[in-house]
Amino acid sequence: MKDKVVFDLIAKEAKRESNVIELIASENYVSSDVLVAQGSPLTNKYAEGYPGRRYYGGCAFIDEIENVAIERAKGIFGVKFVNVQPHSGSSANLSVYLSLLKVGDKILGMDLSSGGHLTHGSSVNFSGHLFKFFSYGVDRSTGYINYDDVQKIVNKVKPKMIVCGSSAYSRFIDFERFRTISDSVGAILMADISHISGLVVAGEHPSPVNFAHVVTTTTHKTLRGPRGAIIMTNDHDIFEKIQKGVFPLTQGGPLMHVIAAKAVAFYEASFPQFKIYQKNIIINAKALSSALIARGFDVLTNGTDNHMFVVNLIKKGITGKEFQDLLDSCFIAVSRSTIPNDPKPPYISSGIRIGTPAVTSRNMSEREMEQIADFISSIYLYRKDKQKLDSICKDVLTLTSKFPIPKSYV
Ligand SMILES: *Cc1c(COP(=O)(O)O)cnc(C)c1O
């Protein structure tokens, strides 16, 4: 007998995903091939170890699948060595820290309120528990990373590792400059490109692979694959340490169904359509940020170079949490976000983060970005007018119904 409870809920979630204007910068819609690979019998298989060196029998096809995933990742990123086993971005970062550093070592990362990730040293995360983290933020007046300031902090702190990359920074990251700064104190440079890896593959954001000693990325954000992560490097010695750092140090059996789905996503990312897709993500992010600025919203750094931007809501007199909930009630999904030096705690926060990877997957373009900016601005204006809100919600559903979630991208 089928489990009606769970499958009914899955159906409801699928409907929600198709109804909403999805503007959460870290989300996307995978192809049905990625879904099928992830839902395949590979989930039944134990395969601790690496291709050719497993601790279980019956791994012939599993080995081939993992090798395909590795080769494809090497190809799309133009990198020498890849580990495709990390279960998530957080576990990839844990593996890197523990394989290349000693517990208690000093690391410099971007602070959370400026756009850094939890795993870049937050006190409530393993990173902050296990290592002595220091942080850099963004320039108070421009909102950009000030590399001279980063150099000054590095001179003082002398970290063993510098982590660059972020979850809510809308400008290009200068990996070359970060490498120069790292070299000045002999630190290891780690680039966490979880958010921007799709742009990097498409050549729409400078790549860190020739500058950072080690690169981590999730596979489910702009890369449009299954939930998971990979670790990359061009350095053979670092790779040997990373291999041990993933298994057996921090993980057991790899999720082979997810690795197969990663391989499918890398296949899809190797097509010219993927490059066009990433270009369009940026065109849409620029269009949506300009349209919101034109409607009186305060966008950090006044625009974006990538797939996302953060709106500072302080002058609007509404918190990030309130605005997120308000938009949610009208089928628009965003995530609240702290702003640099946020007066509010992260659970409330003073901003919202908006990203265009998902709406671009649905083939929306600049015209729809104008329409979405109108929705967001009217929802704010009429937040106390129930009747008006109801009519905006209807218009939102009309828009999403015209842009079905694609089943395939190549
Ligand atoms: C999303 C993200 C991660 C973590 O990914 P999870 O899979 O949620 O653990 C790590 N680093 C950065 C910069 C991210 O944006």
Side-chain angles (χ1 to χ4, degrees), residues 29-103:
Y29 302 106
V30 299
S31 69
S32 47
D33 283 351
V34 168
L35 285 181
V36 169
Q38 192 166 4
S40 70
L42 271 65
T43 192
N44 299 330
K45 189 74 196 91
Y46 243 112
E48 281 181 353
Y50 290 105
R53 289 173 286 132
R54 302 285 189 187
Y55 291 80
Y56 287 79
C59 286
F61 304 119
I62 293 295
D63 278 6
E64 284 193 51
I65 288 166
E66 185 162 343
N67 281 329
V68 168
I70 292 167
E71 289 309 312
R72 286 181 181 164
K74 284 190 205 168
I76 59 172
F77 284 98
V79 70
K80 279 194 194 141
F81 307 103
V82 182
N83 184 307
V84 296
Q85 292 193 0
H87 302 330
S88 71
S90 298
S91 55
N93 290 352
L94 175 67
S95 301
V96 169
Y97 298 156
L98 288 179
S99 23
L100 303 181
L101 301 169
K102 286 200 289 294
V103 168

Side-chain angles (χ1 to χ4, degrees), residues 350-364:
S350 304
I352 52 169
R353 188 185 64 170
I354 290 182
T356 52
V359 288
T360 310
S361 283
R362 288 177 86 155
N363 293 309
M364 292 188 192

